[in-house]
Structure formats: structure tokens, C-alpha cells
Amino acid sequence: MEYPYYLVDVFTTTPLEGNALAVFPDASGLDKPRMQRIARELNLSETTFVFPAESVEGATRVRIFTPTYEMTFAGHPTIGTAFVLRESGIVDRNAPALFLDENIGRVRVRVDERDELLWLTTPPIRKIAEFPRERCAAALSLGDSDLIPDVPCELLSAGNPTIFVPLKSRGLVDRVSVNVSAFEELTRTCDEPVCLFPFAPVETGAFSRMFSPELGIVEDPATGSATGPLARFMMTYGLAPRAGGSRFVSEQGVKMGRRSVLHILVHGEDGADGIEVGGNVTPVGRGTLTVSSGNSPNG
């Protein structure tokens, strides 16, 4: 069978920057092993597969895969898929918002036509653990003195567990190199794959990078699922404005040549009324993949 797909770059207005995403707008007939093999074949950070609505409310069912793993929730696939659904006419382009049913549950995406941004509402954020600063630094091939003093390293999750490591400068973020053995030792007690997210506060918000070897992602150009928790972390430790209506950005992917700009909008003090993550989407291509459907005996 032939399955059309769209290729878009998310969190950018420049083709071939941002975070690339493949969207299959009609994945009917594909099972999980086959979707995983397709994601591995395309070898992007994530690939999404769209299915008919599974509820009476009519939200679109979306499943998200890295090359090695099915995600509970991810940000750039949410925004990129919402863009494709609107542009292709699968959902009403004039609707102010749409809803995607992901493994984490229902995710709202609203449209701001003024600046062509799509905004997702971050799912509930929870703190899971703290990690020793020196071990986090070692996993990044840095020293404890490179971290911001008196700020811990925390594992937070809005569906994608991420360790936030606050560094003193943008230059240190650029200097990071993952020490695989130290990373494995750092995360060996974690129950699911974990992302490592070094960042530095800057005038506009944050300068960031993300690594997740366990998800098959050497480095991610833009991590929308971690950006809401990043905002919460920065507000908690006085690294970003806490007031409702505060807006700042996380700049990511620069070191790997895929600059991404992730917009953050805080509702209520400390985001008590929600944290939205917004971005532009740039279409770059379309294609058709020819695969067999149904059960995959080698999956």
C-alpha cells in the first residue's frame, strides 16, 4: 500500500532549520511494529501517524515515534501535525483550536493567525527526582563549577522525562559533549527513557540543547515537550519571569545547524493557569512511502 506523508520543519520559518517531522495524515491499516519500522527508516527525531477520531468529541488520534520508541507526548510533532491537519483540510482551517488525542491524553493546539504561531498547552508537569550536580556535569563532560550555583538538577516531566542542568553561559552549552557511560550511570535507576537538557539563561529566555541516546536521538534540534517544564524550572529558581502573561523563548539546535525558536507563554503566576509552547511551521516536502500494511511478523 502507498502512504502519503508531509515533511515539515517545526519551530522555524526557514526551510531546513528547526526540527524536521514526517506526518502520515492517514495511517489506517498500520500496526505499531510497522509504524516503528517506518520511523526508523525515515530516521528523523519523530514521525507521526494520524488515525480517525476515537471519541465522540472528534479529536484526531495521533501516535508519535522516534526511530526506536513510541512517545507518550512530544512537542514538535504536536505542533507540526496540527499544521498539516489544517493545511490539508483534514480539520477546519478556520477553527481557533484543535485537539489531538496522544498517548498522554488530549492536547489542545490553538492558532494565532497574527504571527502564524501554533500554541500547544503543556500537559501537567510533575517533578520526579533530583540528581547530584557533579554527576549531571560529568554526563555532559563538564565540571560542577560550570553549573549555576545553588540551583539543583531536576528530573521533570510533562510526558517526556527530562533532566534540566542549568549552566552559567551560552558558551558552556555549546561546549557540552555527552559522556555515554556517565549518562548511563546517571539514569540507570529511571523507569523510562530520559532526556538530558543543558541550558543557560540569556536575555531572551534560554539557550538550550537536548540529548536522548535511549530514544535514538543523538541530539534534538527542538524539544517542545521539555519547554513547558523548562519554563517551570526557570521560574522556580528565579531564572525567568514568574508573572502571568510573561513571554520568553528557548533557542535550541544552534550547535547542530538547525536553529529553532520555541516561544513560551505563561498564564498565571508560575504558570498556575497553564504554560503554552508556540512555534512556526515551514513545509518543505511531500512524498509517498510504499509498505505492506497489517501485522508485521518481523516487528
Side-chain angles (χ1 to χ4, degrees):
M1 294 183 65
E2 293 188 339
Y3 288 89
Y5 66 92
Y6 293 79
L7 187 64
V8 296
D9 288 335
V10 184
F11 295 119
T12 183
T13 57
T14 304
L16 309 183
E17 293 190 4
N19 203 348
L21 174 74
V23 180
F24 287 80
D26 183 1
S28 300
L30 291 174
D31 62 359
K32 179 175 179 176
R34 189 66 67 186
M35 288 186 282
Q36 186 65 77
R37 289 166 69 94
I38 291 171
R40 186 175 65 193
E41 177 75 14
L42 295 177
N43 201 34
L44 302 172
S45 292
E46 279 109 352
T47 298
T48 63
F49 300 87
V50 179
F51 293 87
E54 295 181 348
S55 68
V56 293
E57 291 87 357
T60 303
R61 175 70 169 116
V62 178
R63 296 177 70 174
I64 305 169
F65 290 80
T66 76
T68 62
Y69 191 80
E70 182 173 7
M71 300 293 288
T72 301
F73 166 67
H76 100 273
T78 297
I79 288 178
T81 301
F83 175 89
V84 169
L85 293 175
R86 294 180 73 246
E87 292 298 310
S88 62
I90 294 175
V91 300
D92 183 3
R93 181 175 171 78
N94 296 317
L98 63 153
F99 297 87
L100 306 182
D101 279 340
E102 303 181 10
N103 286 348
I104 198 170
R106 184 153 298 175
V107 181
R108 180 179 184 266
V109 181
R110 70 175 177 89
V111 181
D112 190 338
E113 298 285 4
R114 294 170 298 177
D115 48 15
E116 298 183 338
L117 288 174
L118 279 73
W119 294 88
L120 67 84
T121 300
T122 301
I125 300 167
R126 60 191 177 98
K127 177 180 174 179
I128 301 172
E130 289 189 17
F131 290 88
R133 288 163 48 94
E134 66 276 8
R135 290 177 59 196
C136 293
L140 296 169
S141 304
L142 298 174
D144 182 49
S145 62
D146 295 319
L147 276 61
I148 296 175
D150 303 319
V151 178
C153 298
E154 292 185 348
L155 178 63
L156 305 179
S157 179
N160 187 15
T162 303
I163 302 173
F164 292 93
V165 185
L167 303 182
K168 291 179 176 178
S169 70
R170 177 181 177 130
L172 286 167
V173 176
D174 276 338
R175 208 177 84 195
V176 160
S177 175
V178 174
N179 181 316
V180 175
S181 61
F183 175 82
E184 290 175 349
E185 177 62 23
L186 178 68
T187 61
R188 65 182 175 83
T189 60
C190 298
D191 296 329
E192 55 186 314
V194 169
C195 305
L196 191 59
F197 198 101
F199 75 94
V202 295
E203 184 176 354
T204 55
F207 184 77
S208 311
R209 296 176 73 182
M210 192 283 268
F211 308 89
S212 189
E214 296 172 299
L215 293 175
I217 301 171
V218 176
E219 181 170 357
D220 193 32
T223 316
S225 62
T227 302
L230 168 67
R232 173 66 56 78
F233 181 89
M234 293 181 70
M235 289 186 291
T236 298
Y237 295 103
L239 306 177
R242 300 174 59 182
S246 296
R247 183 167 171 176
F248 47 102
V249 301
S250 174
E251 184 181 7
Q252 192 179 332
V254 175
K255 182 72 172 180
M256 56 191 303
R258 297 198 65 101
R259 180 176 181 266
S260 305
V261 178
L262 297 88
H263 298 262
I264 301 164
L265 182 58
V266 177
H267 298 281
E269 186 174 352
D270 288 335
D273 297 324
I275 300 174
E276 289 186 303
V277 176
N280 299 101
V281 181
T282 301
V284 292
R286 299 175 64 175
T288 302
L289 197 68
T290 302
V291 296
S292 60
S293 61
N295 294 327
S296 175
N298 298 317

